[in-house]
Amino acid sequence: MAFHFCSHAWEVRDMQDGMLIRLSPRDLDPDTVAVIVDELFELVQESGQTRLYLDLADIRQIASVVMGKLLALDARLREHGGQLILLDLNPFPYETLQAARLTEILDIRIKESAETLF
């Protein structure tokens, strides 16, 4: 088993069909988000799971660079038979994703919180 050290201290929970990670505003800061795609992708690969659930309940805004990173992560997971699922978005980040038409591309479950998955 390989160990992966990442720069983020995420709350990670294994699920029957995937992995749930709760992100904080610090995780999606435009200055630090550059490595998030690689680190999240590696965590999913190492777990052997196919679905990555990101709990965004604590996120109040999403910068355009973060939207690009979420798209890149989704594409990378799909290339390897996986799926990115965004959970529990607050109204403003959801509206931002909607205005960018990303709600048509990404699997966003606005009313589903991480707690309902357990």
Side-chain angles (χ1 to χ4, degrees):
M1 177 176 177
F3 289 98
H4 176 71
F5 297 97
C6 59
S7 62
H8 301 278
W10 289 311
E11 178 184 328
V12 179
R13 297 173 94 179
D14 288 325
M15 301 174 53
Q16 183 177 358
D17 69 340
M19 170 183 282
L20 172 69
I21 298 176
R22 184 176 198 128
L23 295 181
S24 72
R26 180 182 53 88
D27 295 323
L28 298 183
D29 182 85
D31 295 329
T32 60
V33 75
V35 296
I36 198 168
V37 172
D38 292 334
E39 290 184 355
L40 288 172
F41 180 76
E42 286 180 31
L43 283 173
V44 171
Q45 290 292 336
E46 289 173 6
S47 75
Q49 299 287 353
T50 57
R51 291 184 177 180
L52 173 60
Y53 295 89
L54 294 182
D55 181 349
L56 302 176
D58 295 333
I59 306 303
R60 301 289 179 243
Q61 60 184 6
I62 295 182
S64 60
V65 68
V66 173
M67 289 189 277
K69 293 295 182 182
L70 290 174
L71 281 173
L73 179 59
D74 182 59
R76 199 161 170 197
L77 288 169
R78 288 180 188 274
E79 286 174 9
H80 291 87
Q83 182 179 9
L84 175 65
I85 301 157
L86 306 179
L87 300 175
D88 207 9
L89 267 78
N90 288 294
F92 186 71
Y94 180 79
E95 290 170 6
T96 302
L97 292 171
Q98 191 175 36
R101 302 188 77 159
L102 297 183
T103 54
E104 299 169 14
I105 299 169
L106 298 171
D107 186 345
I108 300 172
R109 301 178 188 182
I110 191 167
K111 296 184 185 205
E112 190 170 345
S113 71
E115 288 76 33
T116 65
L117 298 174
F118 295 99

